[in-house]
PDB file of all heavy atoms in Angstrom:
ATOM      1  N   ARG A   8      22.092 -34.798-160.093  1.00  0.00           N
ATOM      2  CA  ARG A   8      22.743 -33.762-160.915  1.00  0.00           C
ATOM      3  C   ARG A   8      23.996 -34.263-161.618  1.00  0.00           C
ATOM      4  O   ARG A   8      24.257 -33.895-162.746  1.00  0.00           O
ATOM      5  CB  ARG A   8      23.067 -32.539-160.079  1.00  0.00           C
ATOM      6  CG  ARG A   8      21.818 -31.739-159.762  1.00  0.00           C
ATOM      7  CD  ARG A   8      22.084 -30.271-159.669  1.00  0.00           C
ATOM      8  NE  ARG A   8      20.851 -29.592-159.296  1.00  0.00           N
ATOM      9  CZ  ARG A   8      20.034 -29.014-160.158  1.00  0.00           C
ATOM     10  NH1 ARG A   8      20.307 -29.019-161.437  1.00  0.00           N
ATOM     11  NH2 ARG A   8      18.929 -28.438-159.756  1.00  0.00           N
ATOM     12  N   SER A   9      24.771 -35.109-160.970  1.00  0.00           N
ATOM     13  CA  SER A   9      26.009 -35.597-161.593  1.00  0.00           C
ATOM     14  C   SER A   9      25.722 -36.546-162.755  1.00  0.00           C
ATOM     15  O   SER A   9      26.582 -36.780-163.598  1.00  0.00           O
ATOM     16  CB  SER A   9      26.885 -36.295-160.553  1.00  0.00           C
ATOM     17  OG  SER A   9      26.237 -37.456-160.064  1.00  0.00           O
ATOM     18  N   GLN A  10      24.503 -37.098-162.819  1.00  0.00           N
ATOM     19  CA  GLN A  10      24.131 -38.030-163.883  1.00  0.00           C
ATOM     20  C   GLN A  10      23.469 -37.326-165.063  1.00  0.00           C
ATOM     21  O   GLN A  10      23.248 -37.927-166.103  1.00  0.00           O
ATOM     22  CB  GLN A  10      23.164 -39.086-163.340  1.00  0.00           C
ATOM     23  CG  GLN A  10      23.731 -39.896-162.201  1.00  0.00           C
ATOM     24  CD  GLN A  10      22.657 -40.713-161.517  1.00  0.00           C
ATOM     25  OE1 GLN A  10      21.682 -41.120-162.127  1.00  0.00           O
ATOM     26  NE2 GLN A  10      22.829 -40.940-160.228  1.00  0.00           N
ATOM     27  N   PHE A  11      23.166 -36.051-164.890  1.00  0.00           N
ATOM     28  CA  PHE A  11      22.475 -35.277-165.911  1.00  0.00           C
ATOM     29  C   PHE A  11      23.387 -35.034-167.096  1.00  0.00           C
ATOM     30  O   PHE A  11      24.532 -34.627-166.943  1.00  0.00           O
ATOM     31  CB  PHE A  11      22.026 -33.941-165.302  1.00  0.00           C
ATOM     32  CG  PHE A  11      21.317 -33.039-166.249  1.00  0.00           C
ATOM     33  CD1 PHE A  11      20.069 -33.350-166.736  1.00  0.00           C
ATOM     34  CD2 PHE A  11      21.899 -31.851-166.651  1.00  0.00           C
ATOM     35  CE1 PHE A  11      19.405 -32.501-167.597  1.00  0.00           C
ATOM     36  CE2 PHE A  11      21.248 -30.990-167.513  1.00  0.00           C
ATOM     37  CZ  PHE A  11      19.998 -31.318-167.986  1.00  0.00           C
ATOM     38  N   GLU A  12      22.902 -35.320-168.280  1.00  0.00           N
ATOM     39  CA  GLU A  12      23.683 -35.149-169.499  1.00  0.00           C
ATOM     40  C   GLU A  12      23.470 -33.760-170.083  1.00  0.00           C
ATOM     41  O   GLU A  12      22.412 -33.168-169.925  1.00  0.00           O
ATOM     42  CB  GLU A  12      23.274 -36.202-170.537  1.00  0.00           C
ATOM     43  CG  GLU A  12      23.526 -37.618-170.065  1.00  0.00           C
ATOM     44  CD  GLU A  12      22.968 -38.645-171.019  1.00  0.00           C
ATOM     45  OE1 GLU A  12      22.538 -38.278-172.130  1.00  0.00           O
ATOM     46  OE2 GLU A  12      22.958 -39.824-170.644  1.00  0.00           O
ATOM     47  N   ALA A  13      24.467 -33.270-170.793  1.00  0.00           N
ATOM     48  CA  ALA A  13      24.435 -31.919-171.338  1.00  0.00           C
ATOM     49  C   ALA A  13      23.254 -31.693-172.276  1.00  0.00           C
ATOM     50  O   ALA A  13      22.742 -30.596-172.380  1.00  0.00           O
ATOM     51  CB  ALA A  13      25.737 -31.621-172.067  1.00  0.00           C
ATOM     52  N   GLY A  14      22.794 -32.721-172.942  1.00  0.00           N
ATOM     53  CA  GLY A  14      21.696 -32.579-173.885  1.00  0.00           C
ATOM     54  C   GLY A  14      20.334 -32.446-173.241  1.00  0.00           C
ATOM     55  O   GLY A  14      19.323 -32.399-173.920  1.00  0.00           O
ATOM     56  N   GLY A  15      20.295 -32.396-171.933  1.00  0.00           N
ATOM     57  CA  GLY A  15      19.021 -32.240-171.241  1.00  0.00           C
ATOM     58  C   GLY A  15      18.378 -33.558-170.894  1.00  0.00           C
ATOM     59  O   GLY A  15      17.169 -33.642-170.739  1.00  0.00           O
ATOM     60  N   ARG A  16      19.187 -34.617-170.750  1.00  0.00           N
ATOM     61  CA  ARG A  16      18.635 -35.938-170.466  1.00  0.00           C
ATOM     62  C   ARG A  16      19.182 -36.500-169.156  1.00  0.00           C
ATOM     63  O   ARG A  16      20.317 -36.251-168.785  1.00  0.00           O
ATOM     64  CB  ARG A  16      18.974 -36.904-171.598  1.00  0.00           C
ATOM     65  CG  ARG A  16      18.217 -36.613-172.877  1.00  0.00           C
ATOM     66  CD  ARG A  16      18.589 -37.597-173.952  1.00  0.00           C
ATOM     67  NE  ARG A  16      20.004 -37.486-174.291  1.00  0.00           N
ATOM     68  CZ  ARG A  16      20.485 -36.728-175.261  1.00  0.00           C
ATOM     69  NH1 ARG A  16      19.685 -36.027-175.997  1.00  0.00           N
ATOM     70  NH2 ARG A  16      21.780 -36.671-175.490  1.00  0.00           N
ATOM     71  N   LEU A  17      18.358 -37.285-168.524  1.00  0.00           N
ATOM     72  CA  LEU A  17      18.733 -38.029-167.334  1.00  0.00           C
ATOM     73  C   LEU A  17      18.171 -39.422-167.524  1.00  0.00           C
ATOM     74  O   LEU A  17      16.974 -39.579-167.742  1.00  0.00           O
ATOM     75  CB  LEU A  17      18.145 -37.369-166.085  1.00  0.00           C
ATOM     76  CG  LEU A  17      18.398 -38.045-164.745  1.00  0.00           C
ATOM     77  CD1 LEU A  17      19.890 -38.053-164.417  1.00  0.00           C
ATOM     78  CD2 LEU A  17      17.635 -37.334-163.641  1.00  0.00           C
ATOM     79  N   SER A  18      19.017 -40.431-167.492  1.00  0.00           N
ATOM     80  CA  SER A  18      18.563 -41.809-167.678  1.00  0.00           C
ATOM     81  C   SER A  18      17.998 -42.330-166.370  1.00  0.00           C
ATOM     82  O   SER A  18      18.682 -42.352-165.350  1.00  0.00           O
ATOM     83  CB  SER A  18      19.719 -42.697-168.130  1.00  0.00           C
ATOM     84  OG  SER A  18      20.191 -42.268-169.378  1.00  0.00           O
ATOM     85  N   CYS A  19      16.736 -42.741-166.416  1.00  0.00           N
ATOM     86  CA  CYS A  19      16.044 -43.212-165.218  1.00  0.00           C
ATOM     87  C   CYS A  19      15.458 -44.599-165.442  1.00  0.00           C
ATOM     88  O   CYS A  19      15.139 -44.971-166.571  1.00  0.00           O
ATOM     89  CB  CYS A  19      14.882 -42.274-164.866  1.00  0.00           C
ATOM     90  SG  CYS A  19      15.361 -40.595-164.484  1.00  0.00           S
ATOM     91  N   THR A  20      15.280 -45.317-164.350  1.00  0.00           N
ATOM     92  CA  THR A  20      14.549 -46.581-164.409  1.00  0.00           C
ATOM     93  C   THR A  20      13.061 -46.257-164.393  1.00  0.00           C
ATOM     94  O   THR A  20      12.660 -45.127-164.125  1.00  0.00           O
ATOM     95  CB  THR A  20      14.886 -47.472-163.196  1.00  0.00           C
ATOM     96  OG1 THR A  20      14.468 -46.807-162.013  1.00  0.00           O
ATOM     97  CG2 THR A  20      16.380 -47.767-163.128  1.00  0.00           C
ATOM     98  N   ARG A  21      12.254 -47.255-164.654  1.00  0.00           N
ATOM     99  CA  ARG A  21      10.804 -47.048-164.663  1.00  0.00           C
ATOM    100  C   ARG A  21      10.133 -47.634-163.417  1.00  0.00           C
ATOM    101  O   ARG A  21       8.966 -47.981-163.455  1.00  0.00           O
ATOM    102  CB  ARG A  21      10.193 -47.689-165.926  1.00  0.00           C
ATOM    103  CG  ARG A  21      10.621 -47.012-167.207  1.00  0.00           C
ATOM    104  CD  ARG A  21       9.967 -45.686-167.332  1.00  0.00           C
ATOM    105  NE  ARG A  21      10.376 -45.012-168.563  1.00  0.00           N
ATOM    106  CZ  ARG A  21       9.860 -43.892-168.968  1.00  0.00           C
ATOM    107  NH1 ARG A  21       8.933 -43.295-168.271  1.00  0.00           N
ATOM    108  NH2 ARG A  21      10.282 -43.334-170.076  1.00  0.00           N
ATOM    109  N   GLU A  22      10.892 -47.735-162.328  1.00  0.00           N
ATOM    110  CA  GLU A  22      10.300 -48.282-161.113  1.00  0.00           C
ATOM    111  C   GLU A  22       9.136 -47.408-160.663  1.00  0.00           C
ATOM    112  O   GLU A  22       9.124 -46.198-160.880  1.00  0.00           O
ATOM    113  CB  GLU A  22      11.334 -48.396-160.005  1.00  0.00           C
ATOM    114  CG  GLU A  22      11.805 -47.057-159.487  1.00  0.00           C
ATOM    115  CD  GLU A  22      12.896 -47.174-158.451  1.00  0.00           C
ATOM    116  OE1 GLU A  22      14.053 -47.313-158.860  1.00  0.00           O
ATOM    117  OE2 GLU A  22      12.560 -47.136-157.257  1.00  0.00           O
ATOM    118  N   ASN A  23       8.165 -48.031-160.046  1.00  0.00           N
ATOM    119  CA  ASN A  23       6.980 -47.317-159.600  1.00  0.00           C
ATOM    120  C   ASN A  23       7.147 -46.966-158.123  1.00  0.00           C
ATOM    121  O   ASN A  23       6.953 -47.789-157.242  1.00  0.00           O
ATOM    122  CB  ASN A  23       5.722 -48.172-159.812  1.00  0.00           C
ATOM    123  CG  ASN A  23       4.459 -47.379-159.563  1.00  0.00           C
ATOM    124  OD1 ASN A  23       4.482 -46.156-159.533  1.00  0.00           O
ATOM    125  ND2 ASN A  23       3.356 -48.073-159.390  1.00  0.00           N
ATOM    126  N   ALA A  24       7.556 -45.736-157.885  1.00  0.00           N
ATOM    127  CA  ALA A  24       7.729 -45.209-156.529  1.00  0.00           C
ATOM    128  C   ALA A  24       7.254 -43.759-156.558  1.00  0.00           C
ATOM    129  O   ALA A  24       8.057 -42.831-156.584  1.00  0.00           O
ATOM    130  CB  ALA A  24       9.184 -45.305-156.097  1.00  0.00           C
ATOM    131  N   PRO A  25       5.933 -43.554-156.627  1.00  0.00           N
ATOM    132  CA  PRO A  25       5.364 -42.216-156.822  1.00  0.00           C
ATOM    133  C   PRO A  25       5.890 -41.169-155.845  1.00  0.00           C
ATOM    134  O   PRO A  25       6.094 -41.439-154.669  1.00  0.00           O
ATOM    135  CB  PRO A  25       3.859 -42.433-156.607  1.00  0.00           C
ATOM    136  CG  PRO A  25       3.649 -43.890-156.888  1.00  0.00           C
ATOM    137  CD  PRO A  25       4.902 -44.569-156.427  1.00  0.00           C
ATOM    138  N   VAL A  26       6.116 -39.976-156.404  1.00  0.00           N
ATOM    139  CA  VAL A  26       6.590 -38.842-155.623  1.00  0.00           C
ATOM    140  C   VAL A  26       5.958 -37.579-156.199  1.00  0.00           C
ATOM    141  O   VAL A  26       5.659 -37.511-157.386  1.00  0.00           O
ATOM    142  CB  VAL A  26       8.137 -38.776-155.642  1.00  0.00           C
ATOM    143  CG1 VAL A  26       8.661 -38.514-157.034  1.00  0.00           C
ATOM    144  CG2 VAL A  26       8.654 -37.736-154.678  1.00  0.00           C
ATOM    145  N   ARG A  27       5.742 -36.586-155.351  1.00  0.00           N
ATOM    146  CA  ARG A  27       5.162 -35.315-155.803  1.00  0.00           C
ATOM    147  C   ARG A  27       6.213 -34.223-155.757  1.00  0.00           C
ATOM    148  O   ARG A  27       7.016 -34.157-154.839  1.00  0.00           O
ATOM    149  CB  ARG A  27       3.979 -34.920-154.922  1.00  0.00           C
ATOM    150  CG  ARG A  27       2.802 -35.848-155.083  1.00  0.00           C
ATOM    151  CD  ARG A  27       1.570 -35.302-154.368  1.00  0.00           C
ATOM    152  NE  ARG A  27       0.489 -36.266-154.420  1.00  0.00           N
ATOM    153  CZ  ARG A  27      -0.355 -36.390-155.440  1.00  0.00           C
ATOM    154  NH1 ARG A  27      -0.243 -35.599-156.474  1.00  0.00           N
ATOM    155  NH2 ARG A  27      -1.316 -37.292-155.419  1.00  0.00           N
ATOM    156  N   ASP A  28       6.164 -33.339-156.766  1.00  0.00           N
ATOM    157  CA  ASP A  28       7.086 -32.207-156.777  1.00  0.00           C
ATOM    158  C   ASP A  28       6.515 -31.074-155.932  1.00  0.00           C
ATOM    159  O   ASP A  28       5.448 -31.203-155.331  1.00  0.00           O
ATOM    160  CB  ASP A  28       7.395 -31.764-158.212  1.00  0.00           C
ATOM    161  CG  ASP A  28       6.172 -31.302-158.986  1.00  0.00           C
ATOM    162  OD1 ASP A  28       5.148 -30.920-158.367  1.00  0.00           O
ATOM    163  OD2 ASP A  28       6.244 -31.309-160.230  1.00  0.00           O
ATOM    164  N   ALA A  29       7.227 -29.968-155.879  1.00  0.00           N
ATOM    165  CA  ALA A  29       6.832 -28.830-155.036  1.00  0.00           C
ATOM    166  C   ALA A  29       5.460 -28.280-155.414  1.00  0.00           C
ATOM    167  O   ALA A  29       4.741 -27.747-154.572  1.00  0.00           O
ATOM    168  CB  ALA A  29       7.884 -27.736-155.116  1.00  0.00           C
TER     169      ALA A  29
END
Side-chain angles (χ1 to χ4, degrees):
R8 286 213 183 263
S9 64
Q10 301 168 30
F11 179 68
E12 299 173 9
R16 289 180 297 267
L17 178 64
S18 297
C19 298
T20 63
R21 294 288 180 174
E22 68 184 83
N23 189 17
V26 64
R27 292 189 186 276
D28 61 22

